[in-house]
């Protein structure tokens, strides 16, 4: 009888002991060490697992952008990429030659502006051999959703098609209608394009 | 039988009665920040639900091994890990959605609902109950964000889930932060009115019985 009683009590006691580990220094130290170690190990694992798909998605995005600004090529522009320095700057831009058969259709230029509303704006600009803008595609931006984010809208982008001179918003005396409520973002796109045009000029001068 | 009802109650409480956004007013930073469109709200809600579910389950599993004094830092490390996992997986496999929500994903770490449920529920309850709680709260959050996003998208851009319903520009204010506050205010009022009506109904039922 006594034996049974002690058996019945036993589990309860263990539960009380198990309830919480005391906050002794060693316990806290070990717990935090184990938790952070397990977290970093699992993150490293997931990182390795997603590394390839992420790189692939990025590449895919660039290819898609190039295809959007200069469609109909049959070479691999990303493999043929080269760098050109921006005039009067220490930075350089990436150029992707776009070729169909024997004919060079133009270049896709990955350019940016740091004058956006928040963070850098990266765009892929298409330029034909005459230096005419064919179209641009936004690669990355952190502008306000619903306002500055409209820089990727068709309505705004089509203003740049066929442009030979440097784009400027109407407020600054140019011909580009800025997005209402997002003049800064519109201006930044113009700046990025001007940067690419100036860099492209070197290519034209060399030929 | 009783347990089943408990689970059901536990799950359903997240939608109206203890809805994180409309009733508890928690997690307002992402709720106001991402809900410019219904799709964004839904995506953010589901991403948060995943983090909530995983962190609640893990914390309920190891709650007895963690000393009280270091429980908050441990919870945060666990939550942050799951957020980073969501971020990486999304970038790899759902690049289009990631481009839309990428900015806000890291913010799930500081979403008070996730830590709040870990602290208030998962650290005191069993694994299954914690999972149900996380799902209820998560879907409640997703529901609230989608609703808020739908209202703002409709008034601000005159479209719904990316489909243009009426041509034109809409009220710019609803795209911006002030519109988020206004829309949220009206929705909270609506939910409070609904809750009061339910309460009245409950009371009259009791009297009748």
């Amino acid at each position: 009888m006594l034996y049974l009683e002690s058996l019945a009590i036993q589990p309860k006691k263990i539960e009380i002991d198990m309830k919480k580990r005391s906050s002794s220094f060693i316990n806290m130290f070990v717990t935090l060490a184990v938790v952070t170690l397990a977290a970093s190990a699992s993150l490293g694992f997931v990182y390795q697992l997603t590394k390839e798909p992420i790189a692939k998605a990025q590449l895919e995005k660039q290819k898609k952008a190039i295809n959007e600004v200069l469609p109909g090529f049959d070479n691999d522009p990303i493999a043929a990429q080269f760098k050109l320095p921006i005039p009067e700057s220490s930075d350089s831009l990436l150029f992707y030659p776009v070729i169909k058969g024997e004919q060079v259709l133009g270049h896709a230029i990955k350019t940016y502006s740091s004058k956006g509303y928040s963070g850098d704006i990266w765009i892929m600009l298409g330029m034909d051999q005459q230096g005419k803008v064919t179209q641009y595609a936004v690669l990355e931006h952190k502008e306000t959703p619903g306002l500055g984010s409209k820089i990727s809208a068709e309505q705004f982008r089509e203003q740049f098609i066929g442009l030979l001179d440097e784009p400027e918003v109407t407020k600054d005396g140019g011909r580009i209608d800025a997005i209402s409520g997002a003049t800064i973002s519109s201006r930044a796109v113009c700046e990025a394009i001007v940067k690419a045009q100036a860099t492209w000029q070197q290519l034209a001068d060399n030929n | 039988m009783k347990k089943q009802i408990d689970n059901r109650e536990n799950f359903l409480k997240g939608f109206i009665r203890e809805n994180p956004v409309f009733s508890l007013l928690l997690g307002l930073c992402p709720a106001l920040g991402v809900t410019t469109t219904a799709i964004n709200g839904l995506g953010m809600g589901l991403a948060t639900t995943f983090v909530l579910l995983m962190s609640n389950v893990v914390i309920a599993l190891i709650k007895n091994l963690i000393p009280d004094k270091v429980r908050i830092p441990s919870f945060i490390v666990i939550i942050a890990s799951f957020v980073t996992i969501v971020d990486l997986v999304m970038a790899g496999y759902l690049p289009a959605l990631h481009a839309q929500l990428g900015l806000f994903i890291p913010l799930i770490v500081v979403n008070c609902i996730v830590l709040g449920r870990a602290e208030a529920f998962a650290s005191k309850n069993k694994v299954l109950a914690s999972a149900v709680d996380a799902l209820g709260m998560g879907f409640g959050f997703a529901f609230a964000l989608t609703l808020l996003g739908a209202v703002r998208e409709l008034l601000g851009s005159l479209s719904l889930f990316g489909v243009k319903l009426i041509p034109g520009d809409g009220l710019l204010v609803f795209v911006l932060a002030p519109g988020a506050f206004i829309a949220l205010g009206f929705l909270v009022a609506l939910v409070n009115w609904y809750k009061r009506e339910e309460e009245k109904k409950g009371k009259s039922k009791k009297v009748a019985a």
Side-chain angles (χ1 to χ4, degrees), chain B residues 8-155:
Chain B
R8 198 171 153 261
E9 281 261 296
N10 190 7
F11 178 72
L12 286 179
K13 71 173 186 236
F15 280 85
I16 297 284
R17 195 160 47 81
E18 282 186 39
N19 187 292
V21 177
F22 294 144
S23 290
L24 306 178
L25 298 177
L26 286 178
L28 291 188
C29 165
L32 297 172
V34 298
T35 55
T36 46
T37 64
I39 286 279
N40 281 4
L42 187 64
M44 183 67 182
L46 292 181
T48 310
T49 305
F50 175 77
V51 172
L52 202 51
L53 178 64
M54 296 311 281
S55 61
N56 252 17
V57 166
V58 168
I59 286 163
L61 274 174
I62 63 167
K63 59 177 186 283
N64 287 337
L65 298 173
I66 294 178
D68 254 346
K69 276 190 187 158
V70 290
R71 78 177 184 280
I72 303 258
S74 309
F75 292 174
I76 285 289
V77 170
I78 292 165
I79 293 165
S81 308
F82 281 117
V83 171
T84 315
I85 289 173
V86 168
D87 198 24
L88 287 172
V89 169
M90 233 185 203
Y93 298 101
L94 298 165
L97 186 65
H98 189 263
Q100 292 272 313
L101 295 178
L103 281 177
F104 296 100
I105 296 294
L107 278 181
I108 300 177
V109 180
V110 290
N111 189 330
C112 23
I113 302 168
V114 184
L115 184 62
R117 292 331 282 179
E119 173 74 4
F121 202 95
S123 66
K124 297 183 187 103
N125 286 284
K126 292 229 169 70
V127 176
L128 184 67
S130 302
V132 172
D133 173 74
L135 283 177
M137 281 290 161
F139 286 139
F141 185 63
F143 163 70
L145 257 60
T146 311
L147 192 63
L148 192 55
V151 168
R152 288 182 62 193
E153 193 182 350
L154 199 62
L155 295 173

Side-chain angles (χ1 to χ4, degrees), chain A residues 19-21 23 31 39 147, chain B residues 63-65 67 69 81 176:
Chain A
K19 188 97 189 156
K20 262 286 125 94
R21 280 177 73 197
S23 297
T31 308
L147 287 175
Chain B
K63 59 177 186 283
N64 287 337
L65 298 173
K69 276 190 187 158
S81 308
L176 298 170

Side-chain angles (χ1 to χ4, degrees), chain A residues 151-189:
Chain A
I151 53 172
S152 29
E154 196 58 49
Q155 222 185 349
F156 180 68
R157 289 193 309 157
E158 64 187 15
Q159 298 186 79
F160 293 90
I161 299 173
L163 215 63
L164 268 167
D165 52 347
E166 298 186 346
E168 244 184 337
V169 296
T170 40
K171 235 184 206 171
D172 303 337
R175 292 187 297 126
I176 302 296
D177 246 337
I179 301 156
S180 52
T183 309
I184 294 176
S185 312
S186 315
R187 232 179 236 151
V189 170

